């Protein structure tokens, strides 16, 4: 149901655009030039958007990698401290049984 509404809207928009171009009070050459300029401007804006988005994504990935490395380092330190504590307890137990 939703898809048919979107399709109807797009068909209507396309029909309206074509009708506007056909009845425009200017030459086809001028209209084509305006369409080309519009498309060039939109493509440039889209390209800039993609570049900005890619840079933000790269920064987010780098920050995530850094945080994962830091978390792994803290986990490794915690585990090493726990192992050292268990070894110390085992050594104390050996001395107490002697």
């Amino acid at each position: 149901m939703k898809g048919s509404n979107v399709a109807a809207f797009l068909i209507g928009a396309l029909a309206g655009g074509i009708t506007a171009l056909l009845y425009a009070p200017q030459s086809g050459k001028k209209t084509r030039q305006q369409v080309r300029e519009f498309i060039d401007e939109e493509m440039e804006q889209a390209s800039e958007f993609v570049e900005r988005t890619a840079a933000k994504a790269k920064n987010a990935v780098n920050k995530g990698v850094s945080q994962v490395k830091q978390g792994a380092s803290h986990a490794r330190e915690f585990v090493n401290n726990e192992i050292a504590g268990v070894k110390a307890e085992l050594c104390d137990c050996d001395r107490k049984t002697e």
Side-chain angles (χ1 to χ4, degrees), residues 1-60:
M1 193 67 119
K2 207 176 211 181
S4 63
N5 290 339
V6 172
F9 173 78
L10 292 175
I11 291 170
L14 181 62
I18 291 171
T19 302
L21 287 174
L22 290 175
Y23 287 100
Q26 60 188 14
S27 70
K29 184 177 182 179
K30 187 171 183 180
T31 301
R32 286 189 298 275
Q33 179 63 33
Q34 285 178 335
V35 169
R36 250 186 252 111
E37 289 172 0
F38 174 78
I39 289 172
D40 288 345
E41 289 173 12
E42 293 301 314
M43 289 298 289
E44 185 176 330
Q45 288 180 2
S47 177
E48 290 171 2
F49 173 77
V50 167
E51 287 177 17
R52 285 192 311 271
T53 303
K56 287 180 182 179
K58 184 177 180 180
N59 288 339

Side-chain angles (χ1 to χ4, degrees), residues 64-86:
V65 167
S66 175
Q67 289 177 344
V68 167
K69 285 181 179 179
Q70 186 178 16
S73 176
H74 288 302
R76 190 177 302 111
E77 183 179 337
F78 175 79
V79 169
N80 287 338
N81 288 338
E82 290 299 310
I83 290 171
V86 169

